[in-house]
């Protein structure tokens, strides 16, 4: 990518020249992962609001939603280690303080959102009617959204070690992917095609029944006779069977969340994106003393 950007420096105006120089500077920064050592990897480019899952002989891409300007998605590199199906959402204290605490004592609010409250020390569930806003803001209680349909994390989360408590996940609001500006999250990355990404993470020889168990657990229609027969035999009282709760990713798959406003995509296209977080301006100012 660096060489392509260098070629672009000729025959361009000053504004574009600065954008090219900023992205060339980014190219000089080293990632912690040597992607060439892995058979497949995932790249998220925040300004593009896009994800690329690169395999040995194919590339899958999809839209993503990233952090809003006030809650930016952090730039990082890590290794995806497992996928959690129908996860509960442990609501961060920032959201509790800003949005949830004021509903303390309102059992209807917690019921509608499928939230429960638990004492952090004992794990005991507490009735919303007995918890005030001040108690929720104290940090002594967890507020958790039950897993399943309607959960804010959707039906699956892709977990990887990091210091920011962020991850890739499905969403209960897929309409966000129809927007051009998808800087909407609290920092995590919402993915447009979570099932396809899960299949990408799995071993190439995963059997169809495992895939159907994942489909059923995510509320999707099965594609095998065995899966369809299984659903037909379920009693009406069972809504979404939990056939799969967690799937290990082995070998672990590298993920890089990066920030390029000029980006060389895996198909060889060089594309331009808006500076959604204003990082270009910061780097440009830092480069000024070195500009000739």
């Amino acid at each position: 990518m660096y060489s392509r950007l260098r070629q672009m420096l000729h025959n361009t105006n000053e504004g574009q020249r600065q954008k090219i120089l900023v992205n060339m500077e980014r190219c000089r920064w080293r990632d912690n992962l040597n992607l060439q050592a892995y058979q497949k990897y995932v790249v998220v480019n925040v300004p593009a609001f896009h994800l690329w899952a690169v395999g040995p002989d194919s590339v899958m891409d999809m839209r993503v939603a990233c952090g809003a300007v006030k809650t930016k998605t952090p730039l990082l590199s890590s290794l995806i280690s497992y996928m959690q199906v129908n996860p509960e959402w442990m609501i961060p204290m920032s959201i509790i303080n800003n949005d949830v605490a004021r509903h303390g004592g309102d059992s209807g609010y917690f019921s509608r959102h499928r939230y429960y409250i638990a004492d952090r020390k004992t794990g005991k569930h507490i009735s919303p009617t007995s918890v005030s806003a001040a108690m929720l803001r104290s940090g002594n209680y967890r507020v958790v959204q039950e897993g399943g349909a309607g959960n804010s994390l959707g039906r699956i989360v892709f977990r990887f070690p990091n210091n920011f408590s962020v991850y890739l996940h499905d969403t209960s609001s897929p309409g966000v992917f129809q927007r051009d500006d998808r800087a909407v999250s609290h920092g995590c990355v919402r993915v447009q095609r979570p099932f396809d990404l899960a299949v990408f993470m799995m071993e190439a020889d995963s059997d169809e029944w495992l895939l159907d168990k994942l489909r059923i657990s995510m509320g999707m229609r099965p594609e095998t006779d065995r899966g369809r027969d299984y659903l037909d035999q379920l009693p009406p009282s069972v809504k979404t069977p939990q056939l799969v709760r967690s799937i290990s990713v082995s070998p672990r798959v590298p993920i890089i969340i990066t920030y390029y406003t000029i980006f060389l995509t895996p198909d060889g296209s060089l594309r331009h994106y808006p500076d959604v977080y204003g990082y270009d301006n910061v780097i440009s100012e830092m480069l000024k003393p070195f500009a000739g």
Side-chain angles (χ1 to χ4, degrees), residues 88 90 115-131 135-136 139-144:
E88 291 189 328
M90 186 178 297
Y115 294 164
Y116 67 84
I117 304 169
D119 187 291
R120 287 188 182 274
K121 290 184 178 179
T122 67
K124 180 181 177 181
H125 287 209
I126 310 296
S127 170
T129 58
S130 62
V131 179
M135 291 169 67
L136 290 173
N140 295 326
Y141 300 89
R142 292 185 293 114
V143 181
V144 183

Side-chain angles (χ1 to χ4, degrees), residues 11-291:
N11 301 320
T12 188
N13 60 47
E14 181 59 27
Q16 284 297 308
R17 181 180 174 83
Q18 280 301 111
K19 186 173 184 178
I20 293 167
L21 289 172
V22 164
N23 284 278
M24 287 178 69
E25 177 65 13
R26 289 190 176 108
C27 288
R28 297 197 314 111
W29 304 344
R30 294 179 58 187
D31 292 316
N32 294 329
L33 294 174
N34 177 19
L35 296 180
Q36 285 68 36
Y38 297 86
Q39 285 201 333
K40 50 188 176 183
Y41 58 89
V42 172
V43 176
V44 173
N45 186 25
V46 172
F49 298 122
H50 218 85
L51 175 152
W52 289 266
V54 182
D57 51 14
S58 64
V59 177
M60 176 175 64
D61 69 287
M62 66 188 70
R63 292 186 168 200
V64 299
C66 298
V69 173
K70 290 185 178 180
T71 51
K72 298 177 177 64
T73 293
L75 311 183
L76 57 84
S77 59
S78 187
L79 295 166
I80 298 172
S81 56
Y82 72 101
M83 301 175 283
Q84 187 180 5
V85 184
N86 289 311
E88 291 189 328
W89 180 37
M90 186 178 297
I91 302 176
M93 280 304 302
S94 59
I95 300 178
I96 292 176
N97 290 332
N98 294 330
D99 300 325
V100 177
R102 57 193 170 91
H103 298 282
D106 182 355
S107 59
Y109 169 84
F110 286 86
S111 176
R112 287 193 302 275
H113 290 81
R114 297 171 54 240
Y115 294 164
Y116 67 84
I117 304 169
D119 187 291
R120 287 188 182 274
K121 290 184 178 179
T122 67
K124 180 181 177 181
H125 287 209
I126 310 296
S127 170
T129 58
S130 62
V131 179
S132 67
M135 291 169 67
L136 290 173
R137 291 193 177 102
S138 71
N140 295 326
Y141 300 89
R142 292 185 293 114
V143 181
V144 183
Q145 186 179 43
E146 298 174 357
N151 184 280
S152 295
L153 303 183
R155 294 304 195 115
I156 191 167
V157 171
F158 303 84
R159 303 280 188 182
F160 46 89
N162 66 89
N163 295 325
F164 308 98
S165 299
V166 299
Y167 31 80
L168 307 181
H169 67 85
D170 183 19
T171 178
S172 59
S173 304
V176 69
F177 298 116
Q178 303 305 314
R179 297 170 51 174
D180 291 329
D181 181 358
R182 297 188 290 279
V184 297
S185 80
H186 289 89
C188 290
V189 177
R190 307 175 190 176
V191 299
Q192 183 181 25
R193 295 160 52 196
F195 178 79
D196 292 342
L197 187 59
V199 173
F200 171 84
M201 298 290 170
M202 297 164 70
E203 296 181 14
D205 58 354
S206 297
D207 66 84
E208 283 299 318
W209 174 231
L210 175 59
L211 296 181
D212 252 4
K213 287 195 292 185
L214 178 58
R215 289 187 184 97
I216 292 169
S217 299
M218 292 178 63
M220 301 168 62
R221 288 293 303 172
E223 295 188 358
T224 66
D225 290 338
R226 183 177 179 180
R228 287 187 284 267
D229 291 343
Y230 175 85
L231 283 187
D232 290 342
Q233 295 171 14
L234 283 178
S237 58
V238 179
K239 294 181 180 179
T240 302
Q242 289 291 302
L243 300 181
V244 180
R245 294 187 180 274
S246 181
I247 301 175
S248 296
V249 177
S250 181
R252 294 183 295 172
V253 174
I255 175 170
I256 292 180
I257 301 179
T258 191
Y259 192 100
Y260 282 99
T261 52
I262 303 178
F263 186 62
L264 183 63
T265 64
D267 67 3
S269 302
L270 205 58
R271 301 183 185 178
H272 293 247
Y273 302 106
D275 182 18
V276 292
Y277 291 165
Y279 290 166
D280 276 13
N281 294 332
V282 175
I283 298 174
S284 182
E285 285 297 315
M286 296 178 68
L287 290 175
K288 278 186 177 179
F290 307 98

